[in-house]
């Protein structure tokens, strides 16, 4: 993403915000092309292997174990960080490093790699507000790599030539529904456009703001709007509701400011003007389609595909106006989402339960599943001809329809639901053994028979999809780049922005051509393997390579291991054969791996996972008299539900075991490629290295190889939608070797629900004996680095995932402050320079080959080549960002990072 340079009093930090560009690709076979006789660059200095890190962590009940060799806890004693005793010789040669490449020049001239940049940030002091942080302008453009032209799904937008005015909207009584707000304002515009509104066609955000091109004839005005309520209660006529709407002038957007910003003459973005333009361009699509966030969906764009259990996928498009170096850009991308299928409720229930519900009574578990699946879903009645009133389901009756009665008058005369529908509507309820839907609130709930209801179209499913549904959705969304490009162009043409009345009203013009952008393809890095293998080094081809004729550069030893089988379909002989093949593959790949398990393979049922794991653990302990079990292999059923998560939780937090899970389908198949992949995972989990960058051990990586550098990675995972109480999980990993920067240790910590700021980066608490004690994940990992390498980090590179643009300042301010405090707690005046990088994968920029027929510029699936970097034209006007295709695509599109450095 952009590279931003922060100024904090007298010190500066480089903060990177990284975005990954997504594309999706068909699986590709490994292949090698001729290397024109070129060999790998010769290393100038081989570094000795470092021992696995001794890991520390402060006492915290919500702290998880660090991956690697064990998870011991720190005694919290202060550790003095001594200077490095193993400097690395820096060779100034071209290297493959997009960040180093981008940092190689500044607006004031070149920076000597590893010197000037390293001298920044050595002062002490913590920012107290976002005002103490400022982002530097882009220092220059990268030069490394072969240049090429790619196309981006950005469409140039001309700046409007009219004044943009904002008005405040107040609706009384207050309305919380955006759709109802829009209905009220649409009625107001229909009634008063030609008169009170002075023929203006306003754009409305659905809440409090109205925008116009030019001023309205008034600064303040009140309107009375009558609207028929289409979702009134059962039995009565539709009521007409009256609303008071007050429109009041607020401000005029500064388009000159926006022009200056786009020209790179101002650093602060005029968010108000950008927001108005975005709302204007979304107005017509909001009326045509089903809006979800910044995307729009419709069953008419492409035929919906069933996902199972009453869900279907809808195709749609994402749209956003963005400031770029080429000017205003409209970013259009294809999108897909799961929607509830508009089925008769009985058919939906049958799909949900996976069985016939017309002839069989429902069990208690069936009722719970139906209630969970239908709660909050909007349905419409079908028993009243053309009257299709809509209601939202609040629950499910515990009794079947035939047993339900309710009072029909003030003296509590009771009538059955079956009689009521027959007498009132002439509707005979056929399936009286089924429960009724409850609609309305708890005080006044009404009953609707399932067979008299149909699910309303256009309701997005926001809960978690199961594995089968995810697989089905991926099949629908998987597209080759050329197909995706054509769909995007067709969407732009179908939207016909030149005919959009709102775009016309505001004077906005949108190009129908994809932006052509200059890109660079960085050369692939050489990989170093063990000297005893036939191939000692490797140059990846099109982002791919394999382990044939290679051995792990640091293979670990596994002497004591056990296996537990949770799959009924896998016989003991099959499991034994698989384990034997896996052990051989580990040996061939460079590990010392005992061919036989310490105890016989143990079979157990998935529901007894905790009991089975503890049985194996204690059986092993009794046999070996307390020696550590180094590895546990686990064979799982293909569809294992919560088994995988339960197993990992118990092994990691209760037993302290390193585990490797394998699905039964792979156990039966025994593919050499699969075994090789698993052996690589096992070696890393045991603390080994599979390969290292040749430039790393030769000390040729800018801003990494010159002085001891630690690289962090951090992310926060939030609970799924609808889960209101579960904590968010923060995870931080950090490199534990230098100059290789290959081995990583990690810590996890639970924190407040949906809290994006990582709370446990640095913390202090009061100890009755020692007083104030410092701790936190950053501090622990810095200590671990020093114990593993014998050196203190003199530079910190911090990769942060999952931060939206709106949260960037807040996360940067809080987390950089925590990093600084963690450093200062270890040693007075210890303040190494920090590069803070935010990586964004879920952006919507897509890059396509300029010529899909040119096989030299694409891979076999038609994707642009891995290593492609874009840092101009579609990037931010002033901030330091870039897009990077970081590796080859597994599906039809390759994954792109958008990086923003600050």
């Amino acid at each position: 993403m952009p590279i931003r340079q922060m100024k904090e009093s007298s010190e500066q930090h480089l903060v990177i915000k990284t975005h990954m560009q997504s594309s999706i690709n068909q699986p590709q076979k490994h292949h090698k092309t001729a290397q024109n006789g070129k060999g790998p660059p010769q290393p100038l200095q081989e570094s000795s292997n470092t021992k696995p890190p001794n890991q520390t962590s402060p006492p915290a009940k919500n702290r998880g174990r660090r991956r690697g060799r064990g998870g011991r806890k720190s005694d919290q004693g202060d550790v003095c960080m001594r200077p490095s005793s193993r400097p690395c010789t820096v060779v100034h040669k071209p290297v493959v490093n997009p960040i180093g490449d981008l940092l190689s020049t500044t607006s004031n001239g070149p920076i000597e790699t590893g010197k000037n940049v390293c001298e920044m940030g050595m002062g002490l002091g913590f920012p107290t507000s976002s005002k103490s942080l400022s982002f530097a302008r882009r220092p220059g453009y990268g030069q490394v790599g072969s240049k090429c032209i790619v196309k981006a799904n950005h469409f140039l937008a001309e700046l409007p030539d009219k004044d943009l005015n904002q008005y405040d909207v107040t609706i009384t009584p207050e309305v919380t529904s955006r759709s109802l707000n829009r209905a009220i304002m649409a009625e107001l515009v229909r009634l008063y456009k030609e008169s009170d509104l002075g023929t203006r066609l306003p754009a409305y955000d659905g809440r409090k703001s109205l925008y116009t091109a030019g001023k309205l004839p008034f600064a303040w005005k009140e309107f009375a709007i009558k609207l028929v309520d289409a979702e009134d209660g059962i039995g009565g006529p539709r009521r007409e509701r009256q609303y008071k709407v007050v429109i009041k002038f607020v401000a005029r957007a500064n388009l000159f400011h926006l022009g200056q910003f786009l020209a790179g003459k101002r650093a602060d973005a005029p968010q108000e003007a950008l927001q108005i333009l975005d709302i204007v361009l979304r107005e017509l699509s909001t009326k045509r389609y089903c809006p979800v966030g910044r995307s729009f969906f419709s069953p008419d764009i492409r035929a919906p595909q069933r996902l199972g259990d009453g869900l279907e996928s809808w195709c749609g498009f994402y749209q956003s106006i963005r400031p770029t170096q080429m000017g205003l850009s409209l970013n259009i991308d294809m999108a897909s989402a799961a929607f509830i299928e508009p089925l008769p409720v009985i058919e939906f229930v049958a799909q949900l339960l996976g069985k016939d519900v017309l002839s069989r009574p429902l069990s208690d578990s069936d009722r719970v599943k139906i209630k969970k699946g239908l709660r909050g879903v909007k349905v419409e009645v079908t028993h009243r001809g053309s009257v299709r009133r809509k209601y939202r389901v609040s629950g499910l009756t515990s009794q079947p329809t035939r047993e339900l009665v309710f009072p029909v008058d003030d003296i509590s005369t009771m009538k059955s639901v079956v009689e009521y529908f027959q007498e009132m509507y002439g509707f005979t309820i056929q399936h009286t053994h089924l429960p009724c839907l409850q609609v309305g609130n708890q005080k006044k709930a009404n009953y609707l028979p399932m067979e008299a209801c149909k699910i309303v179209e256009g309701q997005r499913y926001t809960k978690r999809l199961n594995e089968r549904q995810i697989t089905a959705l991926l099949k629908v969304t998987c597209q080759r780049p050329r197909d995706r490009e054509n769909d995007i162009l067709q969407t732009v043409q179908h939207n016909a922005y030149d005919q959009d009345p709102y775009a016309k009203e505001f004077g906005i013009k949108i190009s129908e051509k994809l932006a052509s952008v200059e890109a660079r393809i960085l050369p692939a890095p050489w990989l170093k393997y063990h000297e005893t293998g036939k191939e000692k080094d490797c140059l990846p081809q099109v982002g791919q390579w394999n382990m044939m004729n290679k051995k792990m550069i640091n293979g670990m030893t596994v002497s004591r291991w056990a296996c537990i089988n949770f799959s009924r379909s896998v016989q003991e002989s099959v499991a034994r054969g698989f384990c034997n093949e896996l052990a051989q593959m580990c040996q061939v790949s460079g590990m010392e791996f005992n061919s036989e398990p310490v105890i016989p393979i143990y079979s157990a049922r998935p529901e007894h996972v905790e009991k089975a794991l503890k049985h194996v653990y204690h059986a092993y302990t009794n046999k070996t008299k307390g020696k550590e079990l180094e590895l546990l292999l686990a064979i799982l059923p293909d569809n294992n539900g919560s088994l995988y998560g339960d197993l990992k939780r118990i092994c990691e937090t209760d037993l302290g075991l390193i585990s490797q899970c394998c699905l039964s389908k792979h156990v039966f198949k025994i593919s050499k490629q699969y075994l090789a992949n698993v052996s690589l995972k096992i070696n890393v989990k045991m603390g080994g290295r599979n390969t290292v960058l040749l430039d790393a051990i030769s000390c040729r990586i800018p801003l990494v190889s010159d002085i001891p550098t630690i690289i962090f990675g951090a992310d926060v995972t939030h609970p799924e939608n609808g889960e209101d109480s579960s904590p968010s999980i923060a995870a931080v990993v950090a490199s534990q070797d230098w100059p290789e920067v290959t081995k990583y240790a990690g810590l996890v910590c639970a924190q407040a629900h949906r809290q994006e700021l990582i709370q446990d980066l640095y913390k202090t608490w009061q100890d009755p004996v020692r007083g104030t004690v410092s701790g936190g994940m950053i501090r622990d990992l810095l200590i671990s680095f020093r114990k593993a390498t014998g050196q203190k980090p003199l530079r910190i590179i911090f990769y942060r995932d999952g931060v939206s643009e709106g949260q960037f300042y807040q996360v940067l301010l809080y987390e950089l402050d925590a990093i600084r405090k963690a450093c200062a707690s270890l040693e007075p005046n210890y303040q190494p320079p920090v590069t803070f990088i935010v990586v964004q994968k879920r952006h919507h920029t897509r890059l396509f080959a300029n010529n899909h027929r040119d096989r030299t510029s694409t891979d076999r699936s038609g994707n642009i080549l891995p290593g492609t970097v874009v840092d101009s034209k579609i990037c931010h006007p002033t901030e330091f960002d870039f897009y990077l295709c970081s590796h080859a695509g597994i599906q039809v599109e390759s994954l792109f990072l958008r990086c923003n450095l600050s």
Side-chain angles (χ1 to χ4, degrees):
M1 289 191 99
I3 295 184
R4 308 182 180 180
Q5 191 173 7
M6 293 185 332
K7 298 175 183 176
E8 182 186 324
S9 61
S10 62
E11 68 179 1
Q12 294 177 324
H13 312 281
L14 290 176
V15 182
I16 309 170
K17 183 180 171 190
T18 320
H19 305 254
M20 288 175 123
Q21 151 95 22
S22 306
S23 3
I24 307 179
N25 282 348
Q26 295 278 352
Q28 303 171 2
K29 295 182 179 178
H30 299 301
H31 59 283
K32 229 176 182 179
T33 58
Q35 300 175 12
N36 300 324
K38 295 182 180 179
Q42 295 301 312
L44 298 176
Q45 176 180 341
E46 290 287 348
S47 62
S48 59
N49 298 333
T50 59
K51 59 185 178 181
N54 295 320
Q55 297 163 352
T56 62
S57 62
K61 62 182 179 182
N62 59 349
R63 175 72 59 78
R65 288 184 183 271
R66 185 180 303 122
R67 299 310 296 262
R69 297 295 294 157
R72 289 182 294 168
K73 296 189 176 181
S74 167
D75 59 3
Q76 297 305 312
D78 288 339
V79 175
C80 245
M81 309 287 278
R82 291 194 294 269
S84 166
S85 60
R86 188 177 62 162
C88 223
T89 305
V90 178
V91 181
H92 296 282
K93 287 188 177 182
V95 294
V96 183
N97 187 317
I99 297 174
D101 180 30
L102 287 169
L103 292 176
S104 61
T105 61
T106 71
S107 55
N108 298 322
I111 288 181
E112 182 179 347
T113 303
K115 184 178 179 183
N116 295 23
V117 172
C118 300
E119 293 173 355
M120 296 189 295
M122 298 306 292
L124 183 61
F126 308 124
T128 57
S129 74
S130 60
K131 292 182 180 179
S132 62
L133 304 177
S134 62
F135 295 114
R137 292 173 177 266
R138 182 184 301 276
Y141 295 90
Q143 302 299 323
V144 174
S146 57
K147 293 184 178 180
C148 65
I149 299 296
V150 296
K151 291 179 288 186
N153 59 336
H154 286 244
F155 300 85
L156 187 62
E158 291 185 18
L159 268 174
D161 54 3
K162 301 181 181 180
D163 290 338
L164 306 181
N165 296 274
Q166 179 181 356
Y167 291 83
D168 180 73
V169 175
T170 303
I171 300 176
T172 309
E174 186 178 356
V175 177
T176 57
S177 166
R178 277 196 178 191
S179 59
L180 182 53
N181 278 336
R182 290 185 184 280
I184 294 169
M185 294 305 297
E187 181 68 6
L188 186 150
V189 172
R190 185 185 71 82
L191 293 174
Y192 298 105
K193 178 188 174 186
E194 300 299 327
S195 55
D196 296 66
L197 299 183
T199 71
R200 300 290 186 199
L201 181 61
Y204 178 51
D205 70 351
R207 294 205 184 278
K208 296 285 291 181
S209 297
L210 189 77
Y211 305 100
T212 61
K215 284 191 174 182
L216 294 174
F218 55 85
W220 182 96
K221 195 171 184 66
E222 180 178 311
F223 298 86
I225 302 297
K226 293 181 180 179
L227 207 63
V228 174
D229 192 343
E231 299 181 19
D232 201 4
I234 295 176
R238 296 189 188 182
R239 288 184 297 174
E240 190 176 67
R241 294 181 180 268
Q242 185 162 327
Y243 299 92
K244 182 177 75 173
V245 181
V246 175
I247 298 177
K248 175 179 151 184
F249 176 76
V250 175
R252 184 167 66 91
N254 193 333
L255 289 181
F256 177 76
H257 183 174
L258 178 58
Q260 292 283 302
F261 172 71
L262 293 172
K265 297 178 181 178
R266 295 190 63 150
D268 55 322
Q271 295 298 336
E272 299 83 4
L274 291 170
Q275 182 181 10
I276 293 172
L277 298 177
D278 196 51
I279 290 170
V280 169
L281 290 172
R282 293 170 59 82
E283 187 72 20
L284 187 60
S285 294
T286 299
K287 298 179 186 298
R288 285 179 174 175
Y289 308 114
C290 175
V292 177
R294 288 190 171 272
S295 298
F296 301 93
F297 297 93
S298 171
D300 301 325
I301 295 177
R302 189 185 300 161
Q305 302 293 317
R306 284 194 166 184
L307 302 178
D309 295 349
L311 302 185
E312 63 182 9
S313 68
W314 279 21
C315 183
F317 64 94
Y318 167 93
Q319 174 180 300
S320 176
I321 195 85
R322 301 191 63 82
T324 66
Q325 293 173 29
M326 69 178 184
L328 276 181
S329 164
L330 188 66
N331 182 202
I332 300 286
D333 189 25
M334 303 313 295
S336 290
F339 281 74
I340 301 173
E341 198 171 351
L343 298 169
V345 169
I346 286 184
E347 189 176 335
F348 174 85
V349 168
Q351 283 200 27
L352 186 65
L353 299 180
K355 67 179 184 181
D356 176 25
V357 296
L358 299 181
S359 57
R360 299 181 182 178
L362 299 178
S363 65
D364 291 340
S365 60
D366 290 338
R367 291 174 187 273
V368 171
K369 193 170 184 180
I370 295 170
K371 185 176 180 179
K372 186 177 180 181
L374 285 175
R375 179 179 288 167
V377 174
K378 194 177 289 185
V379 297
E380 60 182 6
V381 296
T382 59
H383 65 286
R384 298 185 60 189
S386 60
V387 178
R388 311 283 285 198
R389 292 197 181 171
K390 299 179 178 66
Y391 307 96
R392 198 172 294 279
V393 178
S394 59
L396 195 71
T397 63
S398 58
Q399 299 168 287
T401 302
R402 60 174 170 254
E403 297 178 12
L404 291 173
V405 294
F406 64 97
V408 293
D409 52 33
D410 294 338
I411 60 173
S412 298
T413 303
M414 306 302 287
K415 181 173 289 189
S416 72
V417 170
V418 175
E419 290 174 341
Y420 176 81
F421 274 83
Q422 180 65 54
E423 295 174 6
M424 190 72 178
Y425 306 112
F427 181 79
T428 304
I429 301 175
Q430 301 291 333
H431 309 293
T432 58
H433 67 288
L434 295 174
C436 274
L437 303 179
Q438 288 180 309
V439 297
N441 54 43
Q442 292 181 348
K443 293 182 179 179
K444 187 181 178 182
N446 295 294
Y447 302 140
L448 284 178
M450 285 188 180
E451 60 196 88
C453 299
K454 180 178 182 290
I455 293 174
V456 175
E457 186 180 62
Q459 299 180 76
R460 190 189 175 201
Y461 185 77
T462 58
K463 298 173 185 175
R464 188 173 186 174
L465 301 177
N466 60 39
E467 291 184 13
R468 187 162 40 86
Q469 291 167 335
I470 291 172
T471 301
L473 184 60
L474 288 176
K475 286 182 180 178
V476 174
T477 58
C478 187
Q479 283 184 293
R480 289 191 177 269
R482 178 182 293 184
D483 297 333
R484 192 183 195 99
E485 179 185 335
N486 290 336
D487 282 352
I488 290 171
L489 289 170
Q490 288 176 13
T491 297
V492 173
Q493 293 167 6
H494 183 266
N495 287 348
Y497 295 102
D498 58 334
Q499 301 299 319
D500 183 336
Y502 296 94
K504 279 185 172 182
E505 172 81 9
F506 285 78
I508 304 172
K509 297 179 180 178
I510 306 295
S511 169
E512 292 190 352
K513 293 183 179 179
L514 292 162
S516 291
V517 186
E518 187 175 274
R520 295 172 292 116
I521 304 174
L522 301 176
W526 280 92
L527 304 178
K528 176 65 178 172
Y529 286 92
H530 201 274
E531 291 294 327
T532 59
K534 291 183 180 179
E535 293 186 23
K536 301 174 179 59
D537 41 55
C538 169
L539 181 65
Q541 302 296 319
V542 197
Q544 296 182 337
W545 73 102
N546 57 45
M547 282 294 293
M548 290 179 60
N549 301 320
K550 305 176 188 68
K551 286 192 175 183
M552 303 160 179
I553 193 163
N554 295 127
M556 298 302 290
T557 298
V558 178
S559 303
R560 300 179 297 276
W561 61 276
C563 176
I564 185 167
N565 177 18
F566 289 103
S567 178
R568 294 182 182 180
S569 61
V570 177
Q571 302 297 322
E572 184 179 350
S573 58
V574 176
R576 192 163 51 247
F578 172 79
C579 291
N580 184 56
E581 292 285 342
L582 180 58
Q584 289 183 28
M585 179 59 71
C586 290
Q587 294 164 4
V588 169
S589 300
M591 294 181 68
E592 292 184 19
F593 201 100
N594 190 349
S595 300
E596 295 294 329
V598 180
I599 59 175
I601 296 174
Y602 182 74
S603 296
R605 300 177 64 173
E607 57 267 29
H608 300 149
V609 54
E610 184 169 4
K611 180 180 177 181
L613 289 172
K614 290 182 177 179
H615 170 82
V616 170
Y617 180 78
H618 293 309
Y620 166 82
T621 304
N622 293 335
K623 182 174 181 179
T624 59
K625 297 181 180 179
K627 289 186 179 180
E628 180 184 2
L629 180 61
E630 296 171 327
L631 176 68
L632 177 68
L633 298 178
I635 299 173
L636 309 184
D638 294 335
N639 297 313
N640 54 75
S642 63
L643 174 59
Y644 175 82
D646 292 339
L647 184 145
K648 288 293 182 181
R649 173 181 55 79
I650 296 166
C651 287
E652 294 285 339
T653 63
D654 291 349
L655 304 178
L657 291 179
I658 296 173
S659 59
Q660 176 61 52
C661 297
C662 304
L663 294 178
S664 56
K665 62 182 179 182
H666 298 303
V667 173
F668 287 116
K669 191 176 180 181
I670 311 187
S671 159
K672 293 291 184 184
Q673 183 176 349
Y674 173 77
L675 293 175
N677 289 338
V678 173
S679 68
L680 294 176
K681 290 184 177 183
I682 291 174
N683 189 53
V684 170
K685 290 178 181 180
M686 299 302 298
R689 297 187 189 90
N690 296 329
T691 184
V692 296
L693 293 174
L694 196 56
D695 278 337
I697 60 176
S698 303
C699 301
R700 284 194 287 244
I701 300 181
L703 301 179
V704 172
S705 298
D706 54 336
I707 58 176
T709 300
I710 185 170
I711 298 179
F712 286 90
D715 193 12
V716 178
T717 301
H718 300 294
E720 62 187 76
N721 289 331
E723 181 59 66
D724 299 327
S725 58
S726 297
S728 293
I729 304 298
V732 180
V733 299
S735 58
Q736 298 293 291
D737 56 351
W738 181 84
E740 298 91 343
V741 197
T742 302
K743 296 172 70 172
Y744 284 79
L747 292 170
V748 295
C749 184
Q751 59 185 41
H753 176 75
R754 294 210 162 269
Q755 171 63 258
E756 183 57 43
L757 301 177
I758 301 179
Q759 302 296 298
D760 200 24
L761 289 182
Y762 175 76
K763 63 181 182 180
T764 59
W765 65 91
Q766 293 297 320
D767 183 90
V769 177
R770 292 178 291 172
T772 302
V773 180
S774 299
M777 292 189 278
I778 295 293
R779 190 179 193 275
D780 290 349
L781 291 168
L782 288 172
I783 293 173
S784 180
F785 179 93
R786 188 221 171 232
K787 288 184 177 180
T789 64
Q791 305 170 87
K792 67 177 180 181
L794 298 181
R795 181 188 293 117
I796 294 173
I797 299 176
F798 192 89
Y799 286 91
R800 180 66 158 88
D801 192 12
V803 180
S804 66
E805 292 178 1
Q807 297 173 307
F808 185 71
Y809 272 101
Q810 184 185 13
V811 169
L812 177 61
L813 179 68
Y814 180 88
E815 295 184 1
L816 181 61
D817 185 38
I819 294 170
R820 285 297 181 201
K821 288 178 178 176
C823 292
S825 73
L826 293 169
E827 179 181 299
N829 299 320
Y830 174 54
Q831 291 294 302
V834 177
T835 302
F836 195 105
I837 309 167
V838 176
V839 185
Q840 291 184 333
K841 304 182 294 295
R842 295 182 182 179
H843 61 89
H844 287 270
T845 292
R846 301 289 181 266
L847 301 182
F848 304 102
N850 190 48
N851 180 3
H852 290 284
R853 296 179 181 177
D854 182 6
R855 303 308 301 171
T856 63
S857 62
T858 62
D859 62 16
R860 296 177 64 183
S861 296
N863 288 311
I864 59 173
L865 297 174
T868 300
V869 173
V870 170
D871 59 1
S872 64
K873 200 166 182 178
I874 61 171
C875 295
H876 197 277
T878 58
E879 294 172 2
F880 197 176
D881 67 343
F882 62 92
Y883 292 91
L884 168 66
C885 180
S886 56
H887 56 74
I890 300 174
Q891 294 285 337
V892 180
E893 294 180 69
S894 46
L895 184 60
F896 252 80
L897 297 166
R898 181 178 174 239
C899 305
N900 191 289
L901 296 88
S902 306

